[in-house]
Amino acid sequence: MRRSRTSAFVPSRSPAPTGAGGGLLPTRDLAAAWILVVLIAVPAWALTIGQARDMGVEPGTMGMALPLFLLLWVTMMAAMMLPSMAPVALTWVRGIGRQSSGWTRADRTVEFVGGYLLVWTAVGLLAYAALAFTGGLVDDHPTAGRWIGSIAFLLAGLYQFGPLKHVCLRHCRDPLSHLVRYAGFRRPARDLRVGVHHGAYCVGCCAGLMVVLIPLGVMNVAAMAGLALVIFMEKLWSRGWLLTSVVGVAFLVLALLAPFQDWLLPGLQGSMPSMDGM
């Protein structure tokens, strides 16, 4: 009986979403799934870029009230995280489609997506508090931005080598066992719990990377694009483990340079420096 429950969610010959062994989805379904990801991610990026262009890069919360910040934050996370979490999410949603139909299917899918976004909304609350705190410090003590930036890069670099990062990244790179575990979750709110569970692992993978948005600027589109690429490659590239270490070393180097190089800290200054200044 348990075998039949799990097989509806996990194809029999697909050990992982990446690597030589194949994918969690058959080739045809995988192609259709990535087209759907693009159709969702592109508008999210367009909205994020348009808002960032209007707001610029400034310290703190840039005067945004919490509801507006959370709305922009969730949009940003959808743009940055969707490509990297798509294999697991689409496999689970495909399983929902096999087991249910009509409004039941739609409700379960909304539950799953809602659970995932709920986790990132909670992270947004922490990000808002951190930005408000660091923005206040920079307003009162402008030179403090150099040391805030250095500490942020240091924490991000150390996190790349930490055990929590590797545990969460292992889950995101090879989620087959977790998909089997998810299939054993019982109702009510099973899909909500799955979304929250997977979202928590995604946060664990990306927490250190998110910290560098404090010195780089939370609305810095170039920084967001770079981090999104790192997140994608860490999870889906066969040599993602190596990239994790390289990025960690780079952050540690930036931690040493930050107190002496203001151009590394656009998110802790009044405005972005000019290209001549860089």
Side-chain angles (χ1 to χ4, degrees), residues 107-276:
D107 288 344
R108 292 188 60 190
T109 302
V110 169
E111 269 192 35
F112 171 76
V113 175
Y116 184 85
L117 294 180
L118 181 63
V119 174
W120 279 106
T121 301
V123 175
L125 292 172
L126 297 176
Y128 187 85
L131 290 169
F133 177 71
T134 56
L137 282 179
V138 171
D139 288 342
D140 295 337
H141 309 283
T143 57
R146 298 177 179 180
W147 302 106
I148 294 172
S150 180
I151 292 172
F153 284 125
L154 176 63
L155 292 176
L158 293 176
Y159 190 86
Q160 289 292 103
F161 296 100
L164 182 59
K165 168 82 176 190
H166 287 273
V167 168
C168 293
L169 192 56
R170 190 183 308 119
H171 162 87
C172 292
R173 286 177 59 85
D174 187 12
L176 183 62
S177 61
H178 294 276
L179 286 171
V180 173
R181 178 186 175 189
Y182 292 162
F185 282 8
R186 295 183 178 181
R187 295 172 179 164
R190 177 175 65 177
D191 299 291
L192 179 66
R193 291 170 56 203
V194 172
V196 169
H197 191 272
H198 188 62
Y201 272 102
C202 282
V203 170
C205 288
C206 309
L209 300 174
M210 295 297 104
V211 169
V212 302
L213 288 176
I214 293 176
L216 296 179
V218 73
M219 296 302 294
N220 187 331
V221 174
M224 284 188 283
L227 292 177
L229 180 61
V230 169
I231 292 167
F232 181 85
M233 294 181 69
E234 278 188 339
K235 292 183 180 180
L236 302 182
W237 185 35
S238 60
R239 298 185 180 180
W241 295 110
L242 175 61
L243 178 63
T244 298
S245 299
V246 170
V247 171
V249 171
F251 285 160
L252 294 177
V253 172
L254 293 178
L256 295 175
L257 296 176
F260 314 104
Q261 302 291 332
D262 289 344
W263 64 271
L264 290 173
L265 310 171
L268 294 169
Q269 302 177 49
S271 61
M272 286 283 287
S274 66
M275 292 301 293
D276 292 338

